[in-house]
Amino acid sequence: MIELPLFIDLGDAAVHTLNGIFRGSILFMIASGLTIIFGVLGVLNLAHGEFYGIGAFLLTSIATFFVVRIAAPTDPLSTAIFAAAIVIAVLLSAAILIPIAGAIEATVIRPIYDRAEMYQLLLTYALLLILVDTIRIIWGSQPVRPAAVDGQQIHAALDVIPMEELFGFQYSSVRIFTIFIGIGTFLFLLWFFDRTKTGRIIRATAIDREAATAIGVSSDRVFTLVFALGGFFAGFSGALYSVSAIPATAEMGGTALVLSFVVIVIGGLGSIRGSFVGAILVGVVWSWAIAEYPPAEIAAPFALMILVLLVRPEGLYGAWGEIE
Amino acid sequence: MDKPDTQTEEGRADSNGIGNIGRRGMLKAAGGTALAIALAGCSDVLLGDDEEVVDVADVPDEPVEAGLQTFTEGPASVLGLQAQFGAEEAVRRINDAGGVAGREIELDVVEEGDSWIENYSRFVDDGKEVTFGPISSGGHLDLVGEVEAQGVVNIATDGTVTRMFEEELDDPTYAFRFQNHDVMEAASAALTAIEQLGADEIDTYANINPDYAFGQDEREIFNATIEQLTDAEEVYSGFPELATDDMSTHVTSVVSEEPDVLFTSCWGGDATLLLSQGQDQGMMDATDIIVGPVLYGSANDFSSGDIEGNIWSGSRNFYWDFPDSDRWSPGRELFDAAQEAEDTIPTAHYMSGYGAVTCWATAVEGLVDMLGGWPEQEQIAAALEGHGFYTPAGYHVMAEDHQCYSNAHFGRLTWNDEMDIPVIEEMTIRDPREVSPPPGEISVEWIESWS
Amino acid sequence: MSNEDQSEEKETIRLMKGLHLTKPQLALALVGLVVVLLVPEIEGFFDNLQLDTFHNGILWGMAALGLALLLNKTELVSFGHAAFFGGGAYGGAMLVNFVGVDSGLLILFAAVFFSTAMAFAIGWFVADYVAIYFALLTLAFGQLLYAIAIGSPTLGQDEGLRLRSGGEASGDPPSLFGIEFTLQQQGEYRLVLYYFTILLLIASMIVMYRIMKSPFGSALEAIGQNRTRARFIGIPVERYVWGAFTISGFYGGIAGGLYGLRQLSIGPEGTLYVFVSGEILFMAILGGFQTIIGPIIGGIVLTFLLDNVRFLTEHFELIIGILLLLVVFVLPKGIWGSSEDIKNGLMTRVKNPAQLGADVGTLQKMLINAVRNAITTIKIILFGVK
């Protein structure tokens, strides 16, 4: 076969890009929560990555519960039932984080809104340590994946899109779904903050807490709601990651947190659009960095962040702390 | 050893803690320093023509305090906990058999984290007579200087980077390492690929290794070996971040290059992730063979779908089902013990802990028999050099370069439906001399001298 | 701050220009000095008190002291301070490995020079930023340095570098003040280094005190309170912040350089990683960054906890997390900053033990209230208002 080194294999390019977008979608769902929480509550929640980790671990337990009870997918019907079970598992994992995050906000974070930034950081760092160890106590310190279905991982059992036939390259269907869910989350959040009453109340509170209180908004409830919402999406993202058979570890929250910082700084603090663009950008740059120059893997996102800040100090969609 | 003046002698005692004063006092009483030098130099002192030799310390009544630092949490706990389980099993067996010269062993385990020096110093201060671990090769490099300075024997369980005892350490006294070093498994991997495909059939190969000293070491030796024996060229080399959460980009690159051989030294969660994402993207079809020295270390995490394909795995110095348990039972007994105590499949890392403890205990037991009393650290260190002993993994020799040599295991990774666990079949055992240079030589140079 | 304010009213003793202490303060300082000097002597009597831990704690505390200048005066939170601690450690180690120097003092100079230069360079980028952007940008620079160190074969990647002679794993320690040490004399080497550290600690505390009291310090404080106003009254804000940032890098460099000399082997994970930055920050807050001595106390206490709790329980993160949580709620000014409150609180309770019962009651009420609050809010979120 004749090699044409001048041209990049289109299939490869597509897969590298898809890998990046997949990672970006996951990152977006974590970073959007972080950025909204920061925008409304004014607190940079260092424990946010742990919600993502807890979501991933919850999925391994809930999905395993389903997998051992439901018939393995063989025909369209059993595949549909199996897929429905996994969707329920993902939603359930994320939903469990609503009361967890809500309770954390209402008990330990609420008393520190008026304190200096550094105490908020110290407190959420303490929460991070506590949550990491709680994960270890519940799920152990070794990597965990959901139980296999006939030796296959869940996502392999759900490989229903014939990518090879349609596009000429192999790619996991669950990853494609995850990308769509990421985009869907983005659109939902835009709609939510722009069109719904609750969303507008939250934005009003973010802009002027006192004025909002004056017109009868309970800022306590708004704050808890926002925190729980952030926890939900982080958990959702962790659960989706786990479905793709990526082993859940107690440490996964730390990495996700640091990358989420990068994302929201690139996008502009408080900006949902910004964190979406930032997340996809970080994901794709990361993926292409590995493909083209592997040693840049760790440094690429940080270099990108510094670059963006030098050109646009307020981030791509700089909103300076207001939800947009 | 120079006699320090009074002031500095005080300083030493202070900085080493009170536990050490006793040890050094005992040492003086026994004339240990002179003895150690004599012991290290010539073994005829052991025959007892020196008066001081007779004057050894009695075997104490209290148990032997031992310390193990290992990864009990974090990604490397996949290896670290195995080492801990193995060490604890060895201690259990030794104590059930009456201890070391009648003394039971009490093993304290601490998370190594990134505090290798602090952990070791703390062990010494607490009066530990022997220390084991760490798992980390970088940690071991941190630690060896400390071990040489503080003089309490340390047997590293893992941290197998080849360079350590070949280049980094100049004639160590107290620092040892039990597990096979990387050259043995990386060279075995190359030899396995050549045996399976034939030297003429291998034109291209690719690498995916974790991005740290171990991964680079493994790749360097694998490349040297395969390029020495075939005309193959490397078409891809990826270094995913250690404990990464996504390897898909590396997998994509390998799939697109379609190499004949893929070498990977990924371990723990990385190995599971690589194989499962490899299955997603057809990596097993794109390559003719995948050889991975430590894939079986993730035996407890694999499901059958992960390991479909022509995948060969090393198992360092130990595989529980070799020789076949129908013929020879010690390996199987260790398997059963691990299953019962920890519900785990013992991997080579289990042996890292088991062997390190056994190595020390057998050496000391023999030494007590010869001396008629309890030996000093210098004596134990001297006795460990050249010490040979058996474990369920076979015969091991702690060589004069302080690197222990055992057989290297490599075979086909498959799923055993009956037991519902991954197993290794078609096991090939290589004598250390086949895959490791004699002590004192540099591995890569040795490989490049092959014809 | 309260201590220093009082000192102006009471009778003070002038130690040197700009450094006045009241008698009790002087006595306390002397007692502290004696204790610190005696640590090597008394460690044998307490199983858990180790010179190693104490020494490292002081070094981390010195880095935290540099950070406290930013925290206290400019109210900027640097989340990348490991860059200077690690930068110092690496700066010294590079001199050993690439130039072959084995004089401890030269190594320390290299460390300080390297990290100060780095702080100077990074400071130029970050001086314009405020609040959380400053924190995140310093974090990014810190992580970039970590990524470089862990990716560079010259810097030993994950294995880092050795500061022993020839950069070897079991070489001799560097020389100090012309004294050569063999590998076996490492204990003596560390003892000499410890006393040298104490000397530098006292010097750096005095210098920091004078910086904070100087017009420069007041200007920084004005910047911290209100940048715009500071600019109006003619303070070159960016240049001053840049200066403060460089100074704090200088402190990180001394601490990191000494840390390298103490450990004799350094790696990126333990000196440059983002969580190391977090730890330095939390030491400053834990001890009380409004004072000079607070960060040092914070350094010693957190290092002690990190070193010791690990030996007691597998779940040391949980314990340390809970302790930090308590610091936020119970000791808002840090350990040292709250010492007056602690003393007063204790005195009241000694005089009136019934107060303890009331404390328990208050605590209970607070907890019950918090939990009830949480449940109500979550109910509302999940099921709406009924």
Side-chain angles (χ1 to χ4, degrees):
Chain A
M1 222 179 104
I2 303 159
E3 296 263 350
L4 289 172
L6 279 177
F7 298 95
I8 303 165
D9 184 332
L10 279 181
D12 275 3
V15 175
H16 283 319
T17 310
L18 280 176
N19 286 337
I21 297 177
F22 169 73
R23 195 178 173 80
S25 304
I26 294 287
L27 266 179
F28 165 69
M29 284 182 268
I30 311 166
S32 59
L34 196 66
T35 208
I36 296 169
I37 291 173
F38 180 77
V40 181
L41 282 64
V43 172
L44 190 68
N45 177 22
L46 297 182
H48 196 70
E50 302 318 311
F51 295 150
Y52 161 75
I54 292 173
F57 275 102
L58 280 172
L59 183 102
T60 61
S61 300
I62 298 171
T64 301
F65 177 85
F66 283 143
V67 163
V68 295
R69 282 168 182 78
I70 292 177
T74 43
D75 51 76
L77 180 67
S78 60
T79 308
I81 294 173
F82 187 79
I86 298 306
V87 170
I88 291 170
V90 171
L91 289 175
L92 206 56
S93 308
I96 293 175
L97 274 150
I98 294 178
I100 295 178
I104 288 175
E105 194 278 339
T107 46
V108 289
I109 298 191
R110 190 174 295 172
I112 57 147
Y113 288 129
D114 299 328
R115 303 275 295 276
E117 226 156 56
M118 43 206 106
Y119 294 104
Q120 302 172 346
L121 288 174
L122 185 59
L123 180 101
T124 55
Y125 181 70
L127 282 177
L128 180 152
L129 292 178
I130 293 171
L131 290 177
V132 167
D133 243 353
T134 311
I135 289 177
R136 288 202 187 105
I137 290 168
I138 300 175
W139 286 283
S141 54
Q142 307 220 10
V144 183
R145 294 187 300 177
V149 197
D150 288 343
Q152 298 281 319
Q153 297 302 318
I154 297 175
H155 72 296
L158 289 174
D159 227 353
V160 288
I161 308 176
M163 292 296 288
E164 188 88 59
E165 286 77 10
L166 287 175
F167 303 103
F169 59 87
Q170 209 169 330
Y171 206 75
S172 160
S173 307
V174 169
R175 283 182 161 234
I176 301 278
F177 284 130
T178 307
I179 290 172
F180 279 115
I181 291 171
I183 296 169
T185 306
F186 171 55
L187 295 175
F188 167 79
L189 286 174
L190 284 186
W191 170 80
F192 178 75
F193 282 107
D194 212 38
R195 302 273 170 216
T196 67
K197 196 179 161 205
T198 321
R200 287 176 178 190
I201 290 175
I202 293 174
R203 279 175 59 195
T205 318
I207 293 164
D208 192 339
R209 192 174 157 187
E210 267 129 43
T213 317
I215 58 164
V217 174
S218 158
S219 62
D220 280 357
R221 274 176 210 162
V222 168
F223 284 10
T224 311
L225 174 73
V226 166
F227 205 79
L229 195 73
F232 174 84
F233 282 114
F236 193 50
S237 155
L240 282 169
Y241 218 38
S242 252
V243 174
S244 280
I246 290 158
T249 63
E251 292 73 26
M252 67 193 288
T255 322
L257 176 78
V258 174
L259 280 179
S260 301
F261 284 165
V262 173
V263 165
I264 64 176
V265 169
I266 288 177
L269 282 180
S271 165
I272 295 166
R273 275 188 198 85
S275 59
F276 183 72
V277 174
I280 301 293
L281 210 58
V282 166
V284 173
V285 165
W286 171 84
S287 176
W288 275 99
I290 294 175
E292 296 301 318
Y293 183 63
E297 178 168 350
I298 304 178
F302 299 100
L304 181 69
M305 167 171 165
I306 290 169
L307 201 73
V308 168
L309 280 178
L310 286 177
V311 182
R312 279 186 70 91
E314 70 282 13
L316 294 179
Y317 290 79
W320 289 103
E322 285 169 17
I323 301 267
E324 208 186 13
Chain B
M1 204 190 291
D2 293 334
K3 172 82 182 77
D5 61 42
T6 344
Q7 196 198 338
T8 49
E9 176 66 36
E10 251 176 48
R12 182 207 303 280
D14 287 334
S15 60
N16 286 345
I18 203 144
N20 230 16
I21 299 175
R23 194 176 66 75
R24 301 220 171 244
M26 227 160 66
L27 186 70
K28 263 186 218 142
T33 316
L35 174 68
I37 293 161
L39 252 181
C42 53
S43 56
D44 62 356
V45 182
L46 283 175
L47 301 174
D49 55 7
D50 189 326
E51 280 172 12
E52 283 185 320
V53 176
V54 188
D55 192 19
V56 260
D58 290 338
V59 177
D61 288 334
E62 64 265 28
V64 176
E65 303 252 348
L68 166 71
Q69 53 174 319
T70 192
F71 285 115
T72 57
E73 53 186 46
S77 64
V78 177
L79 320 177
L81 287 175
Q82 283 278 333
Q84 180 185 342
F85 298 157
E88 285 170 349
E89 177 62 19
V91 167
R92 233 181 337 259
R93 289 182 172 192
I94 290 166
N95 289 350
D96 287 349
V100 182
R103 295 180 71 190
E104 294 206 339
I105 300 177
E106 277 178 8
L107 185 69
D108 265 1
V109 181
V110 71
E111 158 67 26
E112 63 182 81
D114 55 10
S115 311
W116 302 283
I117 296 176
E118 286 81 357
N119 289 339
Y120 176 80
S121 299
R122 180 64 177 266
F123 279 152
V124 173
D125 284 356
D126 286 353
K128 301 277 186 270
E129 292 180 45
V130 59
T131 58
F132 302 105
I135 294 288
S136 160
S137 57
H140 195 197
L141 207 50
D142 262 15
L143 190 61
V144 283
E146 215 57 39
V147 173
E148 292 301 309
Q150 299 202 31
V152 172
V153 167
N154 177 264
I155 303 180
T157 43
D158 224 74
T160 50
V161 171
T162 309
R163 216 174 49 241
M164 176 74 93
F165 287 95
E166 283 184 358
E167 294 168 54
E168 297 281 353
L169 270 174
D170 181 27
D171 192 21
T173 310
Y174 303 101
F176 296 86
R177 174 169 68 191
F178 170 67
Q179 187 55 270
N180 281 355
H181 50 169
D182 295 343
V183 59
M184 304 172 74
E185 56 197 33
S188 292
L191 294 174
T192 302
I194 293 166
E195 273 171 16
Q196 291 304 313
L197 303 184
D200 298 336
E201 299 300 314
I202 303 178
D203 298 319
T204 53
Y205 67 95
N207 271 289
I208 297 184
N209 298 293
D211 189 11
Y212 73 117
F214 165 77
Q216 274 124 15
D217 189 42
E218 293 264 343
R219 168 177 172 256
E220 186 187 1
I221 291 161
F222 176 82
N223 287 11
T225 314
I226 202 153
E227 289 185 4
Q228 185 68 25
L229 301 176
T230 70
D231 296 325
E233 66 170 319
E234 186 182 50
V235 289
Y236 180 76
S237 172
F239 284 108
E241 187 182 353
L242 185 61
T244 182
D245 51 9
D246 198 352
M247 294 228 193
S248 47
T249 304
H250 295 285
V251 172
T252 308
S253 301
V254 169
V255 169
S256 103
E257 294 291 350
E258 298 190 353
D260 298 325
V261 182
L262 170 68
F263 175 80
T264 177
S265 58
C266 287
W267 50 261
D270 286 347
T272 332
L273 189 62
L274 176 67
L275 292 189
S276 110
Q277 297 196 327
Q279 298 288 356
D280 292 350
Q281 299 191 44
M283 187 172 76
M284 284 64 184
D285 299 328
T287 54
D288 291 339
I289 189 171
I290 295 174
V291 284
V294 274
L295 291 176
Y296 197 71
S298 307
N300 288 288
D301 300 326
F302 286 139
S303 52
S304 62
D306 294 328
I307 57 171
E308 281 166 14
N310 195 21
I311 304 171
W312 291 68
S313 169
S315 197
R316 302 206 149 169
N317 61 8
F318 169 63
Y319 173 63
W320 60 272
D321 200 29
F322 181 89
D324 200 314
S325 32
D326 298 341
R327 296 181 198 159
W328 201 74
S329 62
R332 183 58 193 241
E333 281 159 17
L334 208 54
F335 177 87
D336 292 337
Q339 285 278 312
E340 194 190 329
E342 315 288 351
D343 192 22
T344 191
I345 305 166
T347 65
H349 291 89
Y350 190 91
M351 187 47 66
S352 296
Y354 189 99
V357 172
T358 311
C359 178
W360 182 85
T362 48
V364 172
E365 177 92 15
L367 208 50
V368 172
D369 279 351
M370 281 192 284
L371 295 173
W374 195 259
E376 292 300 333
Q377 293 291 340
E378 285 90 338
Q379 296 169 310
I380 296 172
L384 279 169
E385 278 191 17
H387 175 55
F389 58 103
Y390 278 104
T391 71
Y395 193 64
H396 314 268
V397 180
M398 184 61 82
E400 63 263 38
D401 61 351
H402 289 212
Q403 163 63 48
C404 197
Y405 293 82
S406 322
N407 291 330
H409 297 60
F410 226 100
R412 183 196 293 274
L413 189 58
T414 58
W415 193 262
N416 183 311
D417 290 327
E418 201 179 309
M419 298 174 78
D420 205 26
I421 58 168
V423 292
I424 300 181
E425 284 173 356
E426 298 170 53
M427 179 69 82
T428 301
I429 298 297
R430 287 191 175 80
D431 186 289
R433 289 167 296 179
E434 279 183 80
V435 283
S436 171
E441 285 186 34
I442 305 293
S443 288
V444 173
E445 292 170 10
W446 175 68
I447 290 167
E448 284 166 355
S449 72
W450 293 2
S451 52
Chain C
M1 293 296 278
S2 61
N3 288 349
E4 286 139 25
D5 291 343
Q6 282 165 14
S7 68
E8 280 158 26
E9 291 155 25
K10 289 182 190 167
E11 189 190 344
T12 57
I13 295 153
R14 183 172 174 273
L15 287 183
M16 57 197 290
K17 192 166 172 277
L19 186 65
H20 302 267
L21 293 176
T22 61
K23 271 182 188 164
Q25 281 177 336
L26 187 65
L28 206 63
L30 285 177
V31 170
L33 188 63
V34 169
V35 168
V36 163
L37 288 176
L38 281 181
V39 166
E41 306 299 322
I42 58 179
E43 68 156 354
F45 297 101
F46 300 97
D47 271 358
N48 290 328
L49 179 72
Q50 313 229 308
L51 180 63
D52 294 357
T53 304
F54 200 77
H55 195 170
N56 278 342
I58 290 177
L59 296 179
W60 288 111
M62 282 167 80
L65 180 61
L67 186 64
L69 175 67
L70 288 174
L71 284 178
N72 188 16
K73 294 293 177 183
T74 62
E75 298 196 357
L76 290 170
V77 182
S78 162
F79 221 98
H81 224 61
F84 311 123
F85 189 86
Y90 269 90
M94 285 193 287
L95 195 72
V96 175
N97 282 270
F98 308 142
V99 188
V101 167
D102 75 336
S103 149
L105 287 186
L106 281 180
I107 294 170
L108 188 59
F109 275 126
V112 174
F113 176 79
F114 189 70
S115 69
T116 312
M118 234 162 36
F120 188 74
I122 296 176
W124 183 79
F125 283 100
V126 301
D128 294 355
Y129 292 86
V130 287
I132 217 74
Y133 269 92
F134 183 84
L136 290 173
L137 201 60
T138 46
L139 176 138
F141 274 107
Q143 275 301 89
L144 193 66
L145 285 181
Y146 168 76
I148 290 171
I150 207 163
S152 154
T154 336
L155 297 179
Q157 294 189 308
D158 63 300
E159 292 181 341
L161 297 171
R162 255 53 52 198
L163 286 93
R164 297 169 183 279
S165 62
E168 279 171 19
S170 59
D172 297 334
S175 64
L176 289 174
F177 312 108
I179 313 169
E180 304 273 342
F181 298 91
T182 65
L183 183 62
Q184 281 71 29
Q185 290 165 328
Q186 204 164 282
E188 291 86 330
Y189 163 80
R190 289 211 169 123
L191 201 65
V192 174
L193 192 66
Y194 176 76
Y195 289 121
F196 182 46
T197 303
I198 299 301
L199 205 70
L200 288 177
L201 172 70
I202 294 166
S204 54
M205 281 167 66
I206 293 174
V207 170
M208 183 57 81
Y209 181 82
R210 298 194 59 173
I211 291 175
M212 288 198 178
K213 286 277 166 201
S214 71
F216 176 69
S218 318
L220 289 180
E221 201 164 340
I223 293 170
Q225 282 162 0
N226 189 331
R227 277 199 177 213
T228 323
R229 200 175 59 203
R231 211 168 271 133
F232 279 150
I233 57 172
I235 298 171
V237 171
E238 278 75 30
R239 209 147 17 107
Y240 271 43
V241 171
W242 188 11
F245 195 78
T246 310
I247 293 171
S248 84
F250 176 86
Y251 273 79
I254 299 183
L258 286 169
Y259 180 81
L261 286 174
R262 212 211 79 82
Q263 297 292 91
L264 296 167
S265 178
I266 52 150
E269 209 71 35
T271 60
L272 280 171
Y273 193 55
V274 50
F275 288 151
V276 175
S277 294
E279 274 167 20
I280 299 176
L281 179 61
F282 300 136
M283 285 164 184
I285 301 173
L286 178 68
F289 60 87
Q290 296 91 340
T291 62
I292 301 284
I293 198 165
I296 309 293
I297 305 247
I300 294 168
V301 170
L302 194 59
T303 308
F304 178 82
L305 287 176
L306 288 170
D307 269 11
N308 280 277
V309 183
R310 207 152 30 91
F311 279 84
L312 299 177
T313 163
E314 208 181 310
H315 301 293
F316 57 96
E317 278 104 340
L318 185 70
I319 308 288
I320 291 169
I322 292 171
L323 287 174
L324 289 180
L325 209 67
L326 286 176
V327 167
V328 173
F329 288 117
V330 185
L331 301 175
K333 279 179 266 170
I335 297 171
W336 188 256
S338 307
S339 55
E340 283 289 304
D341 301 343
I342 300 174
K343 204 170 70 189
N344 291 339
L346 277 179
M347 291 306 273
T348 333
R349 279 156 189 76
V350 168
K351 280 183 205 145
N352 180 14
Q355 183 71 28
L356 276 175
D359 289 344
V360 175
T362 321
L363 210 67
Q364 237 169 8
K365 222 181 277 168
M366 265 171 59
L367 260 174
I368 291 170
N369 263 340
V371 171
R372 194 177 293 147
N373 250 336
I375 293 172
T376 324
T377 333
I378 290 159
K379 251 195 220 153
I380 290 169
I381 287 170
L382 288 180
F383 308 112
V385 188
K386 275 180 189 153

